[in-house]
Amino acid sequence: MAQRLPALPPPARRVLGGVLLIGTVVLTPAAAAAGLVAAAFATASVPLLALCGLAVAAATAALLGRGAFALLGKGGLRATCALTGVLLLAVAALAAGTVLRPMPTSAALPVPPGVSFWNLPTGSRIAYAHAPAAGTPRPTPVVFLHGGPGTPAEGIPAGGRELAADGFDVYSYDQVGAGRSTRLSDITQYTVARQVADLDAIRRTIGADRIILVGQSWGGSLAAQYLLAHSTHVAKAVFTSPGALWGREYPGPAAGDPWDHLTPAERSARDRLNSKPRLIAAALLLQVNPRAAHALVGDGELDHWMHELALLGKDTTSCAGTEPTEAHSNPQGFYSNQMTVKDFEQLPDPRPRLRAVHVPSLVMRGECDFIKPAVTQEYRQTLPDSRMVRIKGAGHAISHSRPALYTALLRAFLLDRPLPAPAS
């Protein structure tokens, strides 16, 4: 015969009720956050996300609160309703001061002299700088590709003016979603294919049948993807401290972590930047519904945050004793960075097709580059008409560490001259 379990004694009930009451206070905000993230599977509307979060919080508070008061033997429905109301107000106030509180943005600055814009047929409005060729222009322009994704340079990069003096038309542009170029309203459109399409549209806009690509860091990865799609339109390619050739092989920091050499003070500052609740909410939503993340936290806030992070780490990838890098105000592109990287890591292996691409290529690697040697070496092993040079005393930004040698290498390679002896 089944026996009825004995009831808990009053002291035990009160202890359990107190624990449950404390748990209600602790779990209600967590339930609100979970409800907001769960709602993002179905909507990108911030008001609906907030309402769903509050609804889940209310249900959690009511259910747990009712159980707590029943164990305590006092209060009942009225106490449960009062507790639920107080906790909802607390959750709303907490959200207003954290997740829903806008982060700083950068003040809009005037466009500096020398910056112009292309309105491409892809829909991108692209900011660029142009150093016109001296004398009779050579038929093949040089296009510099910045890193990141989403971390543009400012103006004509090192070596560009010298190449213009050699007769090359030289262009440097802000990739879509970065710098002064278009920010896309649908951030899922930040893809490698979009970057490649923009670059080919630029080639056609400047009236060039073939171009020379100079890709720094991520710009090297992008140059390889352009080679994959349009090799007949590339005369030569230069890969300076290139990122991964295949994103799926080296996801995230697997290719090398630029933050490995932070000082304790810099590490603490980075942790403070990364711990902002609104940033954490955007990061969670990016995994569920990127459009919801963008609706909650706009470009201005996250581009400013990324700029602050870039300033913190701008000198961590150089050799010891290198002069500090001069900062510029050309805006970073957070969503372009996040979404393009995510897309890049899903692409198929480009190496089999690149092994059949016969485009003269130069691969440069600095002695102190944080990118793993195997990542750089893969360009040399994959591209059949490539050669690789290793540069002593240079970090990830070779043009900053060894500007004269970097420029000499560029000029020699593009003018079909012997490379400087120290790098040959």
Side-chain angles (χ1 to χ4, degrees), residues 210-233:
R210 296 200 300 167
I211 54 179
I212 296 167
L213 297 177
V214 182
Q216 161 70 26
S217 193
W218 151 255
S221 304
L222 176 57
Q225 289 293 319
Y226 188 83
L227 273 176
L228 195 66
H230 303 287
S231 62
T232 58
H233 293 302

Side-chain angles (χ1 to χ4, degrees), residues 95-416:
T98 56
V99 173
L100 300 179
R101 182 182 180 182
M103 297 191 299
T105 60
S106 300
L109 297 174
V111 177
V115 175
S116 303
F117 292 87
W118 289 306
N119 291 308
L120 302 180
T122 59
S124 299
R125 186 172 189 261
I126 296 295
Y128 72 96
H130 174 212
T136 303
R138 297 175 184 270
T140 311
V142 176
V143 181
F144 283 84
L145 306 177
H146 67 70
T151 56
E154 181 71 284
I156 297 297
R161 299 291 177 188
E162 291 80 356
L163 291 176
D166 288 328
F168 294 98
D169 267 307
V170 176
Y171 296 90
S172 176
Y173 72 97
D174 299 343
Q175 295 159 25
V176 65
R180 300 178 182 88
S181 292
T182 301
R183 297 298 188 274
L184 300 179
S185 57
D186 180 0
I187 65 171
T188 64
Q189 296 303 306
Y190 289 125
T191 63
V192 175
R194 175 63 174 264
Q195 298 279 11
V196 169
D198 280 350
L199 178 52
D200 198 53
I202 288 169
R203 177 191 63 78
R204 287 182 274 113
T205 296
I206 63 179
D209 178 58
R210 296 200 300 167
I211 54 179
I212 296 167
L213 297 177
V214 182
Q216 161 70 26
S217 193
W218 151 255
S221 304
L222 176 57
Q225 289 293 319
Y226 188 83
L227 273 176
L228 195 66
H230 303 287
S231 62
T232 58
H233 293 302
V234 181
K236 290 185 177 182
V238 180
F239 302 89
T240 62
S241 306
L245 190 59
W246 184 27
R248 196 181 303 176
E249 184 181 28
Y250 293 103
D257 191 345
W259 304 103
D260 279 347
H261 303 292
L262 291 177
T263 65
E266 290 168 339
R267 198 173 298 277
S268 296
R270 182 196 63 175
D271 292 344
R272 286 194 298 273
L273 282 171
N274 288 343
S275 64
K276 296 178 182 292
R278 191 164 166 85
L279 172 69
I280 294 171
L284 288 172
L285 291 175
L286 270 173
Q287 307 307 311
V288 175
N289 183 347
R291 294 183 180 91
H294 191 222
L296 178 66
V297 190
D299 294 289
E301 296 176 56
L302 289 175
D303 289 357
H304 176 83
W305 172 86
M306 188 172 170
H307 182 70
E308 293 295 308
L309 194 67
L311 289 176
L312 180 65
K314 68 182 179 68
D315 297 316
T316 62
T317 62
S318 300
C319 295
T322 303
E323 288 294 317
T325 306
E326 184 178 352
H328 61 75
S329 58
N330 200 11
Q332 310 286 323
F334 175 83
Y335 284 114
S336 174
N337 173 275
Q338 295 292 298
M339 299 306 295
T340 306
V341 168
K342 182 178 179 180
D343 180 65
F344 181 57
E345 293 176 356
Q346 303 303 313
L347 297 181
D349 187 352
R351 294 171 299 183
R353 291 171 56 196
L354 284 174
R355 290 189 182 103
V357 171
H358 291 274
V359 171
S361 302
L362 177 65
V363 184
M364 297 191 209
R365 176 178 177 80
E367 175 186 18
C368 304
D369 192 359
F370 71 89
I371 298 291
K372 294 177 179 178
V375 175
T376 316
Q377 185 65 29
E378 197 160 51
Y379 284 80
R380 173 64 190 91
Q381 293 169 343
T382 301
L383 298 169
D385 296 342
S386 65
R387 62 184 303 182
M388 183 172 172
V389 296
R390 295 171 178 82
I391 302 172
K392 292 184 178 180
H396 190 59
I398 300 170
S399 61
H400 169 68
S401 306
R402 303 289 306 275
L405 178 56
Y406 172 78
T407 299
L409 283 165
L410 279 181
R411 294 184 65 211
F413 179 66
L414 299 191
L415 295 172
D416 296 317

Side-chain angles (χ1 to χ4, degrees), residues 50-79:
L51 285 174
C52 288
L54 288 175
V56 174
T60 301
L63 181 63
L64 296 181
R66 181 179 179 184
F69 287 123
L71 287 168
L72 291 169
K74 60 179 70 175
L77 180 60
R78 182 175 297 179

